[in-house]
Amino acid sequence: MTAADSTTPRLTKRRVRTRANLLDAAFAVFAAKGFGRVSIEEVCEAAGYSRGAFYSNFDSLDELFFALYRQRAELIADQVSGALAQDGPDLDVPAAVDRVTEVLLLDLDWLLVKTDFLVYAARRPGVAATLLEHRARLRGAVADRLARARGHTELPAVLGDTDAAAHAVVAAYDGVTTQLLLDKDVDAARAWLKQLLTALLTDGSGTTG
């Protein structure tokens, strides 16, 4: 093994740690000041790194945000998929809705950052297109689980296919989190989300079929 080979793993771990620290610092600064009102220098200062360290990991604040978004989207997708997977092929929709609403991430700081970025992206078509791709991945995770249960569990016909059902689920989440940003009532948000998802994915009575 050469000297370069022996140092590569250590450098890789250090870079992973640097990247994680930059993401954590950026999240805190974005939540405090709002995306679009934060500079790369402020992120570097909060993380304790130089601009060089930033640019060795990210090309821009946009790219950093999308790294944060991937983290959160993967966490939410894992939470939803995990809650839905417990029933096996026979999806018990009311029970699954209970589990999803109990574990689903409802982080006010993240919702603030995400909303700031949504407004920022809405004025920049290229950024908006990338954000749409990331949102589509989250919907895809929900649609995939619904599709695997489709032969065993009847979904309301009004939803059409599983992709449309996933769109409805994400739209319900968006609506609930918008209200949550204003009233800061997490318990009410979970209760409302449970009611909306039950109405969407069943006949509204809490039973399938």
Side-chain angles (χ1 to χ4, degrees):
M1 178 181 293
T2 67
D5 290 336
S6 66
T7 59
T8 298
R10 183 171 68 253
L11 290 173
T12 300
K13 289 178 182 178
R14 184 171 65 189
R15 183 167 182 175
V16 168
R17 185 169 62 250
T18 299
R19 183 181 175 88
N21 289 341
L22 283 166
L23 287 168
D24 288 345
F27 178 72
V29 177
F30 291 161
K33 295 187 174 184
F35 188 92
R37 291 175 287 279
V38 172
S39 66
I40 289 174
E41 288 79 7
E42 287 175 294
V43 172
C44 292
E45 182 179 353
Y49 293 121
S50 66
R51 284 175 62 93
F54 180 94
Y55 283 115
S56 70
N57 287 277
F58 305 104
D59 290 335
S60 63
L61 288 176
D62 288 4
E63 184 182 338
L64 185 151
F65 172 83
F66 282 122
L68 280 173
Y69 193 96
R70 278 193 300 273
Q71 283 184 347
R72 295 301 171 117
E74 287 169 4
L75 173 59
I76 292 171
D78 286 346
Q79 290 172 332
V80 172
S81 297
L84 297 180
Q86 292 183 33
D87 295 313
D90 298 305
L91 185 62
D92 180 345
V93 173
V97 166
D98 283 344
R99 290 194 300 271
V100 167
T101 53
E102 284 172 7
V103 305
L104 194 61
L105 178 71
L106 292 174
D107 181 339
L108 282 166
D109 282 343
W110 169 242
L111 295 175
L112 281 170
V113 172
K114 188 177 73 167
T115 302
D116 278 337
F117 192 81
L118 176 65
V119 174
Y120 170 83
R123 294 186 171 92
R124 294 162 178 82
V127 180
T130 303
L131 183 57
L132 285 170
E133 290 173 6
H134 283 271
R135 285 173 59 84
R137 290 188 193 124
L138 175 59
R139 288 197 308 272
V142 177
D144 178 67
R145 183 61 187 93
L146 293 176
R148 284 185 281 123
R150 188 67 182 267
H152 306 268
T153 304
E154 189 75 20
L155 294 176
V158 69
L159 290 176
D161 59 18
T162 52
D163 286 339
H167 268 275
V169 167
V170 174
Y173 175 79
D174 286 343
V176 167
T177 54
T178 297
Q179 180 71 22
L180 175 58
L181 275 173
L182 298 176
D183 64 21
K184 309 294 190 295
D185 191 337
V186 175
D187 290 338
R190 291 194 190 282
W192 186 27
L193 184 60
K194 178 179 176 180
Q195 291 173 352
L196 285 174
L197 293 182
T198 298
L200 280 170
L201 299 177
T202 72
D203 61 5
S205 66
T207 60
T208 60

